[in-house]
Amino acid sequence: MQCHFTVYRFNPQADKKPRYHEYRIDAEPTDKILDCLNKIRWEQDATLAFRSSCAHGICGSDALMINGRVELACQKLVRDFKTGNNFVIEPLPLFEVVKDLIVDLEPFFEKYRQVQPYLKPGKNDSDKEFIQQAENQEFIEPALRCILCASCTAGCPINRANPDYLGPAALLRAFRYIFDSRDSITEERLERIDTEDGIWGCKTMWWCTEVCPKEIPITKCLGQIKRAVKQKDKGG
Amino acid sequence: MKHQYDVIIVGAGLAGLRAAVEIGKDAHVAVLTKVFATRSHSGAAQGGIGAALGNEEEDHCEWHMFDTVKGSDYLGDQDAIEILANDAPRAIYELENLGVPFNRTSEGKIAQRAFGGHTRNYGEAPVKRACYAATRTGRVILDTLWEQSLQRGIEFFDEFQMLSLIGQDGQCCGVVAYELSTGKLHTFHCKAVMLATGGAGKIYKTTSNAFASTGDGMAIAYRAGAPLEDMEFVQFHPTGIYKLGILISEAARGEGGILLNNEGERFMERYAPVIKDLAPRDMISRCMLEEMRAGRGIDGKDYFHLSLTHLGEDVIEKKLAEITSFARTYAGVDPVKEPIPVQPTCHYMMGGIATDADGRVIVDEQNTPFAGLYAAGECACVSVHGANRLGCNALLDTLVFGRRAGMALKAFNQSVARPKLPAKPEKNDADTIQALMNSTGKETSGPIRAELQESMMENVSVFRQKDSLNTALAKIAQLKKRYQNLSIQDKGNCFNRDLLDAIELGHLLDLAEVITRGALHREESRGAHSREDFPERDDKTFLAHTLARYDAVKGPQIFTKPVTLTKFEPKERTY
Ligand SMILES: Cc1cc2nc3c(=O)[nH]c(=O)nc-3n(C[C@H](O)[C@H](O)[C@H](O)COP(=O)(O)OP(=O)(O)OC[C@H]3O[C@@H](n4cnc5c(N)ncnc54)[C@H](O)[C@@H]3O)c2cc1C
Ligand code: SF4
Ligand code: FES
């Protein structure tokens, strides 16, 4: 069937300002939006730029806006939309456009690096694995689903207002280590983010949870951090 | 632009990152990767990583070794397989101590589950050997190793694509890379290069592999004179989602899922009475095609049902989370209530750049090293997988041999000086790009790639025979000719996918030719290579590795190398 794509185009090196380009393609209801973009590139316009790799929602390359909503292009099918086969495709908000649908994610990863995203293990008395209770592993499990696609951070209104806010993805990674029973610097981790640009930047707007393609209850996880920070402040 | 390092690692999947973590501060190292590190295809690995920890039931490294040897249809080198199996528990404990969040047993140990071809006591029954984190095992290991690299201050050049290797005085001493965001060429001058560029599934139409899996490292090393080993062995995983190829991990069967034909029969019971649906992949894929030929595919078509409904919602949602969501999103079926439609999908290259067990690339049957060039992971062939890889052994391979390559690189770095850079090392690549950009040819990569993928799927997949292989070779030759007439529509220099597609297509064409030549040469059936015109395994003539050397004029030159046998004599392979 015929689908109509309106796609954001901008090459900062050559263009004064962004424009929208219209493409008509034949697509199946079961085609992914990523398939459609590939079709446009392979058959009509080789200059269209976007990222992709795994094509099944696991690498996090192709977060962008479809009809005004942040989505993974490879995880949405044509039939998932009730917009009469009309699609508007735009880059992620918040980040600077490098070309067309490709944005510069360096600021996103910079925030991520700030939360010490690695285990600082306590002492392991065994020469084998750390013993970790299954419940503890399950508690941090939601955060393990994160594919670093940046959808949540791009969709968060606080991030737009305050560029210094760590943002949901970085805080979710902090959650993953704060609550990992094998980690030894919980206090330090909590202290680090006990700031307005840290965990208190989150005003529980739920937008991140709403857009996360891996259905991670981000806002809830951030709530757990807030509770832990308060506990620490009470000295308990 | 010029950069100087001791060691350049190309590839930020598990093999590249494990080597980088090993080297750490002991040498000045940088990692180049064409997709951002965490987008590497290792992140797609679902089911698990094998090690005889014995956390759930009795297990031994020697059982693991035996299963791998048998799984390889006796083509794997047993000295290397012994290293793989014996080093596995150490590798897993190390990962766990670095923070990998494996699922846990009720005692808080690393949980394990059953996987295809992994058995207790030399084939008696399936054994729980796969360590896992739900169905995102690769992803959590990739994230952990990437984070460990950040902590160690490893330098990354993300979205830099290697175009060629630089050599001087018989030693590899650098890499030319293309910066995706600017179109600039960079020269990385170093003492040694390690290739960890992953697989090449994009040679085939239906595949579980990523767009980035175009075999760049294999093709570039091959053109630089490194032979490729055992390339005819291509793994088709039995359970890709019908028509899409997206993988439904073997973990689904490890947890108890079963395959059904159109009569609702659990057909694997007939072919592998002992381990049934947990038979190795080569065997199940073949059985599926045979069932299909007998008219027992679902609705008479080329797919089957993978049924999980009897496992219960809890197991499906918790232990098989990702694949459940894939089935819902892409196939529109809910595995809790309905079976998933599946068919074989191109999954893994057993072959690759020939190396020894320390990641040194070798140039001949005497294992003479290619000075300064190393490789590990899916792009390399040690060989531990022989003619057929067992599930869970690929991740293990990247970690065990990625680490060993890292150790060998450290020693090499201590022992040599940095060779001088030859004059204008990037000239060749600059010329190639210029020629492509200026070409007024009538061809574009899309159709050539599609025809290649279709021909390889049709002629060089699970079953092969002389005629089909010759058809494929003729097609490849014709496509290579058309490739000479390629032109690039995108004239820009920022994320010019059109140009990179063209370069990658050149790699796919070369590798397809090597695979097909090797398959023609091997007049026997072994592991994933089934010749209908030679249905038996022939140990007398073909218990040997196939090596292919590049020859610009004559095409791949085939020679062989003996297999290392130590503990286990080749036997008939039944399950
Ligand atoms: C869907 C799926 C599920 C799997 N599940 C399992 C499993 O459960 N257990 C198991 O053991 N195995 C599994 N495998 C196999 C296993 O995941 C892979 O074999 C393994 O991860 C490969 O790792 P690697 O480090 O060699 O390469 P990759 O992870 O593929 O990384 C390749 C790297 O090289 C870079 N690169 C490539 N070309 C260039 C270039 N020209 N210039 C610069 N950089 C380049 C890429 O950017 C990337 O960083 C699975 C595979 C797939 C596809
Ligand atoms: S939390 Fe969700 S939306 Fe945010 S980066 Fe991770 S996967 Fe993407
Ligand atoms: S392409 Fe990997 S998440 Fe979409």
Side-chain angles (χ1 to χ4, degrees), chain A residues 108 145-153 169 172 208 211-214 216 218:
Chain A
F108 174 76
R145 299 207 291 259
C146 175
I147 58 173
L148 294 175
C149 68
S151 296
C152 52
T153 301
L172 184 71
C208 53
V211 299
C212 173
K214 303 309 278 183
I216 302 171
I218 308 170

Side-chain angles (χ1 to χ4, degrees), chain A residues 74 112 130 173 176-177 182, chain B residues 99 104 139 147 159 330:
Chain A
C74 65
Y112 187 88
F130 279 96
R173 190 49 48 151
R176 180 242 173 281
Y177 285 108
R182 300 169 296 174
Chain B
R104 298 288 164 160
R139 181 80 220 193
E147 295 172 343
E159 305 195 306
Y330 299 110

Side-chain angles (χ1 to χ4, degrees), chain B residues 107-402:
Chain B
E107 296 160 327
K109 295 184 187 169
I110 295 170
Q112 298 187 278
R113 64 180 162 208
F115 238 77
H118 290 280
T119 69
R120 50 167 305 186
N121 207 13
Y122 311 99
E124 261 177 32
V127 73
K128 292 184 177 173
R129 187 177 290 148
C131 312
Y132 62 97
T135 31
R136 60 184 81 95
T137 312
R139 181 80 220 193
V140 297
I141 302 177
L142 182 69
D143 286 344
T144 305
L145 286 180
W146 177 62
E147 295 172 343
Q148 288 294 322
S149 308
L150 295 181
Q151 189 184 7
R152 287 166 170 72
I154 306 283
E155 290 175 60
F156 282 88
F157 290 85
D158 289 297
E159 305 195 306
F160 273 63
Q161 183 149 344
M162 166 180 65
L163 298 180
S164 66
L165 293 166
I166 306 170
Q168 182 81 329
D169 305 330
Q171 182 179 340
C172 178
C173 65
V175 166
V176 179
Y178 176 92
E179 184 179 8
L180 270 64
S181 62
T182 62
K184 287 207 174 81
L185 290 183
H186 293 247
T187 305
F188 291 86
H189 180 201
C190 58
K191 294 185 191 172
V193 173
M194 174 184 168
L195 301 175
T197 49
K202 282 291 163 190
I203 294 171
Y204 289 85
K205 185 174 170 199
T206 308
T207 177
S208 63
N209 283 198
F211 286 113
S213 304
T214 49
D216 300 355
M218 295 178 191
I220 290 169
Y222 171 62
R223 285 186 201 165
L228 298 180
E229 181 172 346
D230 293 338
M231 289 296 287
E232 63 271 32
F233 298 101
V234 178
Q235 179 160 82
F236 282 78
H237 191 297
T239 57
I241 295 180
Y242 181 46
K243 287 191 177 161
L244 295 174
I246 296 172
L247 192 76
I248 299 295
S249 168
E250 208 165 84
R253 282 170 285 129
E255 296 290 353
I258 54 174
L259 287 163
L260 303 172
N261 62 19
N262 69 343
E263 293 165 5
E265 181 206 14
R266 186 180 178 187
F267 58 91
M268 281 312 299
E269 279 181 329
R270 246 187 297 124
Y271 297 95
V274 180
I275 59 176
K276 303 172 188 158
D277 298 275
L278 285 174
R281 294 169 181 175
D282 56 333
M283 189 170 174
I284 299 193
S285 287
R286 257 190 320 272
C287 297
M288 285 166 102
L289 288 193
E290 276 173 26
E291 287 292 294
M292 228 132 71
R293 287 176 177 180
R296 289 193 289 269
I298 304 295
D299 295 334
K301 295 206 188 115
D302 53 347
Y303 71 97
F304 293 86
H305 278 150
L306 172 63
S307 176
L308 311 180
T309 50
H310 54 291
L311 302 182
E313 193 160 346
D314 204 45
V315 169
I316 295 178
E317 299 280 0
K318 271 206 186 137
K319 292 190 170 170
L320 303 171
E322 256 71 19
I323 59 176
T324 305
S325 102
F326 296 155
R328 287 182 184 141
T329 307
Y330 299 110
V333 304
D334 181 358
V336 175
K337 298 186 197 119
E338 324 152 76
I340 309 170
V342 293
Q343 73 183 158
T345 182
C346 172
H347 186 58
Y348 186 85
M349 298 289 146
M350 265 71 76
I353 305 161
T355 69
D356 67 12
D358 294 304
R360 286 183 207 94
V361 173
I362 55 159
V363 292
D364 57 25
E365 54 277 54
Q366 278 88 44
N367 286 358
T368 311
F370 189 134
L373 189 59
Y374 293 74
E378 191 168 339
C379 72
C381 179
V382 183
S383 146
V384 288
H385 309 302
N388 172 64
R389 169 176 77 84
L390 293 190
C392 286
N393 273 352
L395 295 182
L396 185 59
D397 173 3
T398 63
L399 296 169
V400 167
F401 294 102

Side-chain angles (χ1 to χ4, degrees), chain B residues 22 83 87 357-359 399-409:
Chain B
E22 188 61 33
I83 293 175
D87 199 31
D358 294 304
L399 296 169
V400 167
F401 294 102
R403 168 172 172 268
R404 292 175 71 94
M407 296 194 299
L409 279 160

Side-chain angles (χ1 to χ4, degrees), chain B residues 441-571:
Chain B
K442 292 277 169 293
E443 300 283 351
T444 54
S445 347
I448 301 185
R449 188 178 50 234
E451 286 178 45
L452 173 72
Q453 290 169 335
E454 248 161 65
S455 177
M456 291 300 284
M457 200 73 201
E458 170 95 21
N459 299 306
V460 200
S461 56
V462 175
F463 285 115
R464 297 136 180 215
Q465 45 175 300
K466 192 170 177 200
D467 291 349
S468 69
L469 294 171
N470 278 324
T471 308
L473 273 182
K475 183 79 192 179
I476 295 165
Q478 184 210 348
L479 294 174
K480 280 192 156 188
K481 251 207 193 116
R482 283 171 55 189
Y483 183 78
Q484 298 305 322
N485 253 325
L486 207 62
S487 68
I488 304 296
Q489 315 308 306
D490 187 349
K491 304 294 180 195
N493 49 21
C494 176
F495 283 95
N496 188 337
R497 245 334 321 157
D498 196 20
L499 174 66
L500 296 173
D501 277 353
I503 291 170
E504 290 171 356
L505 175 60
H507 300 156
L508 296 179
L509 285 165
D510 272 359
L511 297 178
E513 186 181 18
V514 176
I515 291 172
T516 313
R517 278 261 171 243
L520 254 182
H521 162 79
R522 189 173 284 278
E523 297 186 327
E524 65 156 354
S525 290
R526 183 187 298 272
H529 170 72
S530 285
R531 284 282 299 258
E532 294 189 274
D533 39 357
F534 297 96
E536 301 299 321
R537 190 174 85 193
D538 174 3
D539 285 338
K540 242 163 99 199
T541 324
F542 289 108
L543 185 59
H545 300 292
T546 315
L547 291 163
R549 200 190 304 283
Y550 180 71
D551 184 316
V553 184
K554 289 185 270 178
Q557 299 298 297
I558 304 282
F559 60 109
T560 61
K561 188 179 110 170
V563 174
T564 308
L565 303 173
T566 58
K567 289 190 171 160
F568 303 105
E569 274 302 305
K571 280 207 198 111

